[in-house]
């Protein structure tokens, strides 16, 4: 890859190690300017994809990425190509997106060995994500040992969910002993997008009821009243809620017992089935939404059903949260699918005129990747597309914490 210009001082390196991908950005947190960013995806698959954007342009290649450690090494090597050794490019903090903080972590946290161990122990609640987060912390701390590393937790925004929304109706003593409650995830994105939606509308967030739909390989919905979440679709783990790339979302718990008794599957096999081989992948054979739509276009009936199940679940949550909020001012789409797929946005909200929700087809299909309104002028409810920027939110949280 070519060598772009050197970066300036006062930057934050943000690492977002997901279940099958790594996003990274080098950001000036005060201005919000991204000096370099990229994506490594399809980790562990026969052919991975690496995209790197920098001041001199962009590079892209397909290459097998065996695991997250290999991927993170590649990230650091690409950043070395910015013109100086990585430890000299002015990084003042490294911000890590961490998925599950349990009851312990709900604020930005300075990462040390104890935090790494605690996040690793919480992997039992987020088996797709926390292990990748741990590798990210380990490798980055090895490479940048003299820079503060700050963890920002996906669960933090939902820490204050009302008790009636956070509580599962199981034996209270067992729930208390094992910290069983609904934690919620994608919180950094939901919080950022809610704030941006209020700014876009020119309104005080304290006066807004929002339904936020974060749709990507992982997917979640939230009901936000006055800037605070009152409900969200994910629960104890990121498995609950909407249909996702490889996760089932909502499922009758009886399915777990049935698979154990009738199919002889042990708990780890069922865990693997529901987290890694369900959702769109379980129904159609693919979890990438672009690949799914290609199959739909070719007339694949399994892919068509997978798409319809996906949209059906979104509609259920939109309806439930609209009712729970007592009315909604705006529905906001974000995430890779939410920001880019016109069909999902249209089909998720079609036929809801009686609820005051009308999507304008021309606005929805317009070639625009910025913040935008896609609702019709006649719509009583605003429908917005707000690109998420979890990395910027993490960078700002990290640098504030590191300067204390």
């Amino acid at each position: 890859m070519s060598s772009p210009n050197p970066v300036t001082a006062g930057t934050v390196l943000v690492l977002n190690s997901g279940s099958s991908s790594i996003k990274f950005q080098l950001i000036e947190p005060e201005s919000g300017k991204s000096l370099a960013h990229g994506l490594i995806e399809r980790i562990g698959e026969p052919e991975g994809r690496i995209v790197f954007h920098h001041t001199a342009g962009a590079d892209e290649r397909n290459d097998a990425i065996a695991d997250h450690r290999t991927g993170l090494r590649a990230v650091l090597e690409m950043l070395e190509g910015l013109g100086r050794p990585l430890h000299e490019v002015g990084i003042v903090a490294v911000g890590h997106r961490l998925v599950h903080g349990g009851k312990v972590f709900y604020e930005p946290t300075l990462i040390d060995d104890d935090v790494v161990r605690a996040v690793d122990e919480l992997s039992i609640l987020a088996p797709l994500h926390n292990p990748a987060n741990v590798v990210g912390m380990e490798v980055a701390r090895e490479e940048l040992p003299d820079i503060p590393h700050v963890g920002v937790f996906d669960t933090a925004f939902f820490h204050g969910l009302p008790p009636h929304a956070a509580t599962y109706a199981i034996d209270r003593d067992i729930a208390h002993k094992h910290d069983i409650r609904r934690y919620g995830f994608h919180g950094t994105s939901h919080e950022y997008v809610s704030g941006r939606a209020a700014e876009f509308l020119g309104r005080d967030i304290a006066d807004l009821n929002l339904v936020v739909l974060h749709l990507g390989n992982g997917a979640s919905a939230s009901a936000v009243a006055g800037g605070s979440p009152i409900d969200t679709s994910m629960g104890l783990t990121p498995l609950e809620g909407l249909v996702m790339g490889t996760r089932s979302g909502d499922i009758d718990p009886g399915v777990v017992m049935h698979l154990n008794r009738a199919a002889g599957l042990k708990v780890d096999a069922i865990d693997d089935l529901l987290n890694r081989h369900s959702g769109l992948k379980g129904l159609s054979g693919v979890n990438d939404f672009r690949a799914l739509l290609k199959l739909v276009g070719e007339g694949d009936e399994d892919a068509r059903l997978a798409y319809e199940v996906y949209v059906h679940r979104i509609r259920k949550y939109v309806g439930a949260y609209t009712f729970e909020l007592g009315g909604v001012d705006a529905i906001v789409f974000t995430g890779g699918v939410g920001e880019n797929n016109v069909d999902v946005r249209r089909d998720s909200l079609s036929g809801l005129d009686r609820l005051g929700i009308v999507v304008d087809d021309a606005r929805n299909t317009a070639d625009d990747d910025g913040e935008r309104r896609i609702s019709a002028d006649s719509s009583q409810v605003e429908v917005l597309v707000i690109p998420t920027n979890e990395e910027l939110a993490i960078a700002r949280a990290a640098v504030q914490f590191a300067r204390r």
Side-chain angles (χ1 to χ4, degrees), residues 358-360 363-364 373-379 381-384:
V358 184
V359 173
D360 183 273
R363 290 174 178 168
N364 185 40
R373 176 185 285 103
I374 62 169
S375 47
D377 292 338
S378 61
S379 183
V381 175
E382 300 275 10
V383 182
L384 309 178

Side-chain angles (χ1 to χ4, degrees), residues 100-105 117-127 130:
H100 210 309
K103 288 185 176 180
V104 180
F105 302 111
R117 280 192 293 270
V119 173
D120 191 30
E121 290 170 359
L122 288 166
S123 293
I124 193 171
L125 298 177
N130 274 34

